């Protein structure tokens, strides 16, 4: 008889090699298994003998299209009974098992990763593998993984690897079925914060066998844990994952803002909370395109009290406040200035967000003060949002991702606005020059102004005194004469 651990291991092997996920090994799958594990093809006659042998002793172990899991387990039991244990051990070794029938550490490791200095992301090849895995377990081909389909995927390993709180962190449909984008995002999220754990998952799912790779290294891109700016000149693959801190006091609307990134308005968010009895999500992740380049933006909710600036390390910061509460803005203002004081020139871009705009009751006086504060600090004006709408606008999330990707750049050039009177000419000129200075374009502005003045002067001279213009053209001739 096979031991329980041996049955578990061989069941995993069978599910991994069942490439189409129909619960039966067809001839092609048996042939590939034979060649990959024993380095020799399985002749048609031998294949027929195997089927007949199983059918004779275990009729339900064979179907018209191939052999079932029970048939495969019986085949290994027959090998062991006949003293051919090496046939079973050869397979178990191929799929990473050690003498204790546990996956070996070397089989589950990312050898190129140094957790102390590196961040990991799922690579292009790793993404391709995950998409194939998604299609394999999407039995009804509706481009969604229902709860039963997802649990079937996880059953490849008896180890419980992914918790239930993922429903709130990634994109799903209204019935909580996992989308392709959500599936890939889920693994990008786990890889970013816990690459060793993610490698363990991919090893259990059979990445090395299905991708014909000797290890897991090709499933990950590894980057030094440094700001985006430092990574731009690197020869490494461009980073895909962006981390954004969402900072605000209790009741500011952080959770609603974060879940809005998944396209969930307040109505959908309440349905999710009725379905899942968990705390508000700590992280939200989704795909976003920044100038036609795919990125993954992670929104991380920070704690409300005694927040240390060192805990705010990220690629971009989002300071969110209740647009109807001055105390809420004072809170984020305090942490913004504390962050700037701590990091100085090493600080990352920041964006202020005025949430709950549908509750404003002071005629917008607070927002005007916030705009003035942002202008004084040289940052973009606050975004004004509400998720109490049918469709949550996505432009704010794109702006956060763009600010992080092009660190220090402004995603919009917003000329200061004036009241109904438009302001005097002096006010306009003064505000325009300050606007240029804030965006470090003062030198370019001066060059443009000087060129315009010089051009106007030449036109004026040509009209009033052409002789002077001719003298200016001949001004350099005496110099050449002296050199001669």
């Amino acid at each position: 008889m096979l031991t329980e651990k041996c049955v578990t291991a061989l069941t995993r092997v069978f599910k991994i090699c069942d490439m189409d996920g129909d619960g039966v090994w067809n001839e092609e799958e048996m042939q590939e298994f034979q060649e990959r594990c024993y380095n020799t093809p399985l002749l048609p006659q031998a294949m027929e003998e195997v089927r007949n042998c199983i059918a004779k002793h275990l009729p339900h172990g064979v179907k018209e299209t191939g052999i079932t899991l029970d048939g495969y387990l019986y085949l290994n039991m027959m090998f062991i009974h006949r003293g051919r244990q090496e046939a079973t051990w050869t397979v178990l070794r191929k799929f990473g098992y050690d003498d204790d029938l546990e996956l070996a550490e070397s089989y589950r490791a990312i050898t190129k990763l140094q957790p102390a200095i590196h961040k990991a992301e799922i690579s292009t090849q790793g993404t391709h593998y995950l998409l194939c895995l998604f299609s394999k377990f999407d039995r009804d081909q509706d481009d969604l993984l229902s709860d039963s389909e997802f649990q079937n995927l996880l059953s490849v390993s008896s180890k419980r690897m992914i918790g239930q709180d993922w429903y709130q962190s990634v994109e799903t449909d209204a019935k909580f079925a996992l989308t392709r984008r959500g599936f890939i995002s889920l693994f990008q999220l786990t890889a970013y914060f816990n690459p060793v754990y993610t490698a363990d998952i991919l090893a259990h799912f059979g990445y090395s066998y299905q991708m014909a790779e000797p290890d897991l290294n090709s499933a990950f891109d590894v980057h030094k844990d440094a700001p985006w700016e430092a990574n731009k000149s690197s020869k490494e693959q461009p980073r895909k994952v962006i981390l954004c801190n969402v900072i605000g006091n209790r009741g500011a609307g952080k959770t609603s803002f974060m879940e809005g990134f998944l396209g969930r308005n307040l109505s959908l968010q309440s349905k999710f909370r009725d379905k899942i009895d968990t705390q508000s999500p700590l992280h939200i992740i989704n795909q976003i395109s920044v100038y036609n380049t795919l990125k993954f933006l992670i929104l991380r909710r920070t704690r409300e009290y005694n927040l240390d600036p060192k805990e705010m390390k990220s690629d971009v910061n989002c300071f969110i406040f209740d647009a109807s509460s001055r105390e809420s803005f004072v809170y984020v203002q305090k942490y913004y200035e504390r962050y700037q004081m701590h990091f100085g020139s090493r600080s990352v871009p920041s964006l202020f967000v005025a949430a709950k705009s549908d509750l404003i009751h002071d005629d917008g006086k607070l927002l005007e003060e916030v705009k003035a504060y942002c202008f004084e600090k040289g940052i973009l004006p606050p975004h004004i949002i509400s998720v109490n709408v049918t469709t949550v606008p996505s432009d704010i999330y794109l702006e956060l991702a763009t600010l992080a990707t092009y660190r220090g750049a402004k995603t919009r050039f917003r000329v200061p606005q004036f009241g109904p009177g438009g302001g005097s000419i002096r006010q306009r000129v003064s505000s325009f020059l300050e606007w240029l200075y804030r965006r470090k374009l003062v030198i370019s502005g001066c060059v443009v102004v000087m060129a315009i003045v010089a051009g106007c002067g030449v036109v004026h001279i040509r009209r009033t005194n052409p002789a002077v213009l001719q003298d200016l053209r001949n001004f350099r001739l005496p110099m050449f004469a002296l050199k001669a």
Side-chain angles (χ1 to χ4, degrees):
M1 292 292 292
L2 300 175
T3 64
E4 183 178 348
K5 292 183 73 172
C6 185
V7 169
T8 300
L10 291 175
T11 299
R12 169 178 169 266
V13 170
F14 183 89
K15 290 185 176 182
I16 289 173
C17 298
D18 180 16
M19 305 300 285
D20 56 11
D22 64 351
V24 177
W25 275 7
N26 57 38
E27 291 188 6
E28 291 182 4
E29 291 165 343
M30 290 176 64
Q31 189 66 254
E32 184 173 358
F33 169 80
Q34 175 75 15
E35 293 178 359
R36 295 279 295 279
C37 293
Y38 300 110
N39 298 318
T40 181
L42 186 64
L43 299 177
Q45 182 180 354
M47 189 177 299
E48 191 62 29
E49 290 177 356
V50 168
R51 288 171 56 92
N52 292 337
C53 180
I54 296 174
K56 181 179 179 180
H57 299 90
L58 193 72
H60 68 274
V62 176
K63 289 189 176 181
E64 184 178 349
T65 54
I67 66 173
T68 65
L69 172 60
D70 288 339
Y72 176 65
L73 293 176
Y74 174 79
L75 187 63
N76 281 275
M77 188 171 64
M78 186 176 65
F79 285 153
I80 295 173
H81 181 71
R82 294 180 179 181
R84 295 181 55 193
Q85 294 90 338
E86 73 281 356
T88 299
W89 273 112
T90 297
V91 172
L92 293 173
R93 298 295 190 203
K94 181 70 177 180
F95 284 82
Y97 289 98
D98 59 18
D99 292 344
D100 297 321
L101 290 180
E102 299 288 346
L103 290 187
E105 182 65 31
S106 58
Y107 184 79
R108 298 180 287 122
I110 315 172
T111 57
K112 64 181 180 181
L113 175 71
Q114 299 179 45
I117 62 173
H118 287 146
K119 284 290 186 183
E121 301 172 353
I122 301 296
S123 66
T124 301
Q125 183 165 320
T127 300
H128 173 72
Y129 166 73
L130 290 173
L131 289 173
C132 292
L133 199 65
F134 183 97
S135 298
K136 174 181 176 178
F137 287 91
D138 180 18
R139 300 304 301 162
D140 54 9
Q141 299 297 303
D142 61 351
D143 238 18
L144 295 166
L145 282 186
S146 64
D147 184 62
S148 60
E149 289 171 335
F150 188 63
Q151 295 305 320
N152 189 29
L153 185 155
L154 296 181
S155 71
V156 173
S157 171
S158 59
K159 182 178 179 181
R160 185 176 182 272
M161 294 172 290
I162 300 176
Q164 292 297 317
D165 56 349
W166 61 265
Y167 281 102
Q168 290 182 282
S169 297
V170 297
E171 183 184 77
T172 66
D173 74 348
K175 296 180 179 179
F176 314 106
L178 193 58
T179 65
R180 283 182 182 271
R181 286 160 51 103
F183 185 68
I184 300 300
S185 297
L186 176 62
F187 281 87
Q188 287 287 12
L189 180 64
T190 56
Y192 187 85
F193 288 109
N194 198 339
V196 175
Y197 170 80
T198 310
D200 194 23
I201 294 175
L202 294 184
H204 277 83
F205 285 167
Y207 173 86
S208 299
Y209 177 84
Q210 294 182 342
M211 299 302 290
E213 293 285 351
D215 51 43
L216 295 170
N217 284 331
S218 62
F220 297 89
D221 288 328
V222 172
H223 306 284
K224 289 184 179 178
D225 188 9
W228 276 78
E229 231 176 15
N231 184 259
K232 287 181 181 178
S233 60
S234 172
K235 295 182 180 179
E236 301 172 352
Q237 289 290 325
R239 288 172 55 183
K240 297 187 288 288
V241 180
I242 300 167
L243 177 62
C244 172
N245 282 328
V246 179
I247 303 163
N249 65 324
R250 184 179 296 275
K254 297 188 297 296
T255 301
S256 295
F257 168 75
M258 291 169 62
E259 293 196 37
F261 186 32
L262 301 176
R264 299 172 187 160
N265 56 23
L266 282 181
S267 176
L268 279 175
Q269 290 178 28
S270 62
K271 289 182 181 179
F272 270 74
R273 292 190 179 91
D274 292 340
K275 166 76 174 180
I276 308 164
D277 185 20
T278 62
Q279 295 181 344
S280 299
L282 182 61
H283 301 100
I284 291 286
I285 183 172
N286 204 357
Q287 297 181 17
I288 193 165
S289 178
V290 180
Y291 292 110
N292 296 321
T293 302
L294 181 65
K295 304 292 181 184
F296 292 85
L297 177 62
I298 299 174
L299 302 178
R300 176 173 64 181
R301 177 171 54 86
T302 61
R303 57 195 177 96
E304 286 89 3
Y305 304 106
N306 302 319
L307 182 61
D308 191 323
K310 294 179 182 179
E311 300 175 41
M312 299 165 64
K313 186 177 180 182
S314 62
D315 300 308
V316 63
N317 285 325
C318 174
F319 292 89
I320 186 169
F321 63 96
D322 183 345
S324 64
S325 169
R326 184 174 299 277
E327 291 76 12
S328 184
F329 171 67
V330 170
Y331 176 93
V332 294
Q333 182 184 18
K334 177 183 72 173
Y335 278 108
Y336 172 75
E337 293 178 356
R338 184 180 296 180
Y339 174 83
Q340 294 293 328
M341 185 180 298
H342 181 83
F343 286 99
S345 60
R346 295 179 292 113
S347 61
V348 298
S350 298
L351 190 67
F352 279 77
V353 175
K356 304 182 180 181
S357 61
D358 53 312
L359 302 179
I360 294 177
H361 52 72
D362 64 349
D363 298 327
K365 292 180 181 179
L366 175 60
L367 290 181
E368 291 301 320
E369 293 180 22
V370 178
K371 289 179 183 179
Y373 176 80
C374 292
F375 188 80
E376 177 187 347
K377 297 298 181 181
I379 59 179
L380 291 173
H383 267 272
I384 304 170
I385 67 161
S386 171
V387 294
N388 191 16
V389 292
T390 303
T391 304
V392 180
S394 61
D395 59 328
I396 183 172
Y397 307 107
L398 175 60
E399 185 136 17
L400 287 167
T402 307
L403 280 171
T405 305
Y406 301 94
R407 188 180 177 189
K410 306 299 182 186
T411 56
R412 298 176 185 171
F413 289 100
R414 300 180 182 176
V415 181
Q417 301 295 314
F418 298 96
S424 66
I425 295 177
R426 183 174 180 178
Q427 286 177 326
R428 287 176 174 274
V429 172
S430 176
S431 297
F432 180 71
L433 291 176
E434 186 175 0
W435 178 75
L436 287 174
Y437 175 76
R438 291 291 183 188
R439 284 147 184 80
K440 301 179 182 179
L441 297 175
V442 66
I443 296 177
S444 300
C446 289
V447 170
V448 171
V449 172
M450 290 173 64
I452 293 173
V453 171
C456 291
V458 169
V459 171
H460 178 72
I461 292 173
R462 177 179 292 175
R463 290 179 178 178
T464 58
N465 198 343
V468 174
L469 187 61
Q470 186 63 38
D471 291 341
L472 289 173
R473 290 175 178 171
N474 299 332
F475 180 72
R476 296 181 59 88
L477 292 177
M479 300 293 294
F480 287 116
L482 286 174
K483 289 182 179 180

